[in-house]
Structure formats: C-alpha cells, structure tokens
Amino acid sequence: MPRRAASPARKSPAKPASKGKLLFPGGGTFFWWQIGAAQKLCELYDLSEVELCGCSAGALAAAFARCGVDPAAAYAYAFEIADRAQIFERPLGLFGKWGALVEDWLERMLPADVSACDGTIAIAVTRMVPLPHPVRVRRFADRAELIGALRASTHLPLFLDGRLLSRHAGGWTADGGLLQWFGLRSNAGVLGGGGDAGGGAHTLVECTVDARFMAACAAHGWGPLSPHGTDAFIKYGAEFVTAQARLGPDGHFAALEPLRKGGRRAPAGQRRPAFEPPAPPPRPFFRSEYGAIFVPRAMLSALLALLLFVARLPARAAARLSSRRGY
C-alpha cells in the first residue's frame, strides 16, 4: 500500500496552549474509550488552545483527536491489519508484531499534513539514560517525527518489536507510561499536569472515571489487554463525555465550560457531590478473558533494574575499551 508523502519541515514557533490541558494516560485497549471521548470533546468544546498530553496508547488518542481521525475508521483498519497478520490465531498474539502493525496503522490513519500537532500536543516518552525519566515531546518538524514519537511512547520493551528500547524520539526510550506503571510517577507527573509549563487546569481523560463503563468491564470481563468488547468502547467514551457535559460546571469537564462551542454553557443545577471515581485495582494489574493476574511490585522493580543494567551495557563496554586503549 503506498505511503503518504511526509509534510514539509516547519520552523514556525510552537503555538501556545494557554487554556489548560487534557491528559490521556496509557490504558491498552481502553484507548478505544479514550478516542471516543476525545472525539466528543472536540465536538462540544473548542480545544484549539488546549494542550493534549498523552503517553503510551493515550498518546495515540491525543494525536488522533488533534488530527481529526475518525474513530470508526481507525477501529476498522486496526482490526483489518490484525486479521491480515493472523494476530488472533498466533499463540503469542501481538508479541513482536505490534511495532510493524502500529507503523502501518499510523501511516494509513494520520493525514499528510500534521502541522496541527506541532506545539499543541505533548507526547510523553520514558528516556532511559542516565536514569529513567519522563520527557515530553512537543515539536514535530514533519509527519515522520510525529510517528516516531508515537512509536517511542508505545514501545513496550521486547513486546513491540523484539527490541529492548526504541530508537525514536532521541533514542534509548521506552513506553511513556512505564514509570507510572511501576508506581514511580503519577499520571500528572508523567504527562505534565499541574507544575509543568503551560499553565491552566488539567483534566484527566481516563476510563476509570466512568463508573458505568467500569461496571460493564467487570460484568463482561473486559480488560486493557483483551480485544473483546472493544467495539463498544468508543460509544461508552462518547456517552460519558455527553453525560458530563450536561452537568456543566458540576461535571468532570467543568474546566472546559468556558470553551463550549456556540458560547452556550450548561446551567449550574443543584450542586452534586464531588465526583469520586471508583477505586482503581491494585497496580500493576492485568485482566483478560482468562482471568486476573497480579504481579508483585518487587518483581517489577527487579525487572526495571534489569532493563537499566542491560541498557547501560554498551556505554560501560565503550568506557572500558577506551580505558584499555589509553584514550
């Protein structure tokens, strides 16, 4: 299939995002809930000056929302290429194949001109050297740079393409939600909510705040690592935004009320109790149609330490070689 031509490099200054932020954390296949919510948010509010910040699958949602990608078309093509690659018949599923599929998907779905993303979205990646820390990429000279940043933000070590780390977004990078997944940073800490530059209020766009959707997941056994039920996720996300928008200043997206399109703000009704999302499950947590699997936090910390050790081997080897040669 022919690839779209890359857009020309841009040298214009970044556009300011002075009216707050929407934060899209990672969530596996719950990405489909996020993209449904993001599309509805774009319909109801003027988000042109709101920075969309995402990591892992949430970075895809942020980029798709800014580029106006149709969620239904993205869903249809995602499952088309997965079926073509016989992902659902492979014992290891997406393991080792995800990277090529994501690149094909992004090449197909993103428009030729992605200049709308330059300076208005922030893609979080985990820079692994000298120590793991979140980095937010905001400038994209062309389409290839945007796709590279998205690939880096979704790079699960080994799982994506068999490589430990990504070579995109400056290299030595991994999934943007890695530190949050290990419990070392909060969503806001990874995505830049609060104290990061840019100002304004930040609002989390995550399915755990949707009590109706979480109840459906519990009832049907849907989870972030399973494709089952994903055809309904987009609708749940859109319906959540619609319901919260009706609450106006009492809803989850109250910070966006001044940006409601058409200048119409939802009236403030009887004050409701503060919204409290259901308590999240213990992290790290996986759920699939095969049940729940809990992995001890200590085991994950040991895995992170191993990843750090392996990632620094080339640098150590080079330093040792230089010392032997007397450089």
Side-chain angles (χ1 to χ4, degrees):
M1 180 178 296
R3 304 297 189 196
R4 297 177 185 266
S7 56
R10 290 167 49 83
K11 296 183 179 180
S12 58
K15 305 167 188 175
S18 58
K19 295 185 178 179
K21 302 178 182 183
L22 289 177
L23 309 183
F24 295 84
T29 56
F30 288 159
F31 154 82
W32 298 110
W33 182 97
Q34 286 183 315
I35 194 175
Q39 182 190 43
K40 183 58 67 174
L41 285 168
C42 291
E43 289 178 7
L44 298 178
Y45 304 98
D46 178 8
L47 303 182
S48 58
E49 294 185 54
V50 174
E51 186 176 48
L52 309 183
C53 312
C55 69
S56 194
L60 300 174
F64 279 21
R66 185 63 82 199
C67 291
V69 174
D70 177 30
Y75 183 87
Y77 190 65
F79 277 80
E80 177 186 329
I81 59 177
D83 187 58
R84 189 189 310 156
Q86 298 182 328
I87 294 301
F88 304 114
E89 286 77 36
R90 294 181 73 239
L92 296 179
L94 286 167
F95 188 90
K97 296 285 188 179
W98 194 8
L101 295 182
V102 168
E103 184 173 16
D104 184 2
W105 188 51
L106 292 174
E107 289 282 1
R108 173 68 174 267
M109 301 313 305
L110 290 175
D113 182 7
V114 296
S115 57
C117 293
D118 187 35
T120 68
I121 71 171
I123 298 175
V125 302
T126 303
R127 186 70 48 79
M128 298 299 287
V129 291
L131 291 173
H133 60 283
V135 174
R136 289 171 285 278
V137 183
R138 291 183 170 90
R139 300 310 310 271
F140 312 100
D142 53 32
R143 190 168 181 268
E145 281 195 9
L146 175 62
I147 292 177
L150 291 172
R151 290 200 63 185
S153 189
T154 55
H155 188 94
L156 288 172
L158 301 179
F159 184 87
L160 197 77
D161 55 9
R163 293 189 178 95
L164 187 63
L165 299 175
S166 172
R167 299 174 182 177
H168 299 285
W172 300 101
T173 53
D175 190 285
L178 196 64
L179 296 179
Q180 188 274 333
W181 190 67
F182 278 93
L184 301 176
R185 292 288 183 96
S186 65
N187 281 322
V190 169
L191 295 171
D196 189 37
H202 67 272
T203 304
L204 194 66
V205 185
E206 187 180 31
C207 64
T208 56
V209 302
D210 185 352
R212 178 169 165 264
F213 176 68
M214 296 309 292
C217 289
H220 298 288
W222 298 338
L225 297 182
S226 170
H228 297 297
T230 50
D231 54 334
F233 291 3
I234 297 174
K235 182 179 178 181
Y236 271 102
E239 289 178 348
F240 174 76
V241 171
T242 300
Q244 294 300 312
R246 289 197 189 105
L247 298 177
D250 298 328
H252 182 70
F253 300 102
L256 299 179
E257 277 302 297
L259 307 178
R260 188 181 284 268
K261 289 184 177 179
R264 297 180 180 179
R265 299 191 190 183
Q270 183 177 359
R271 196 69 186 174
R272 297 171 180 262
F275 178 79
E276 295 184 4
R283 290 186 181 270
F285 172 81
F286 299 90
R287 185 186 178 108
S288 70
E289 64 273 29
Y290 304 110
I293 303 175
F294 294 88
V295 183
R297 179 72 52 89
M299 185 182 298
L300 293 175
S301 299
L303 176 61
L304 179 59
L306 177 62
L307 289 175
L308 285 173
F309 175 77
V310 173
R312 300 185 70 178
L313 280 179
R316 291 180 178 179
R320 187 173 300 176
L321 182 61
S322 298
S323 63
R324 287 180 179 178
R325 292 180 177 177
Y327 293 159

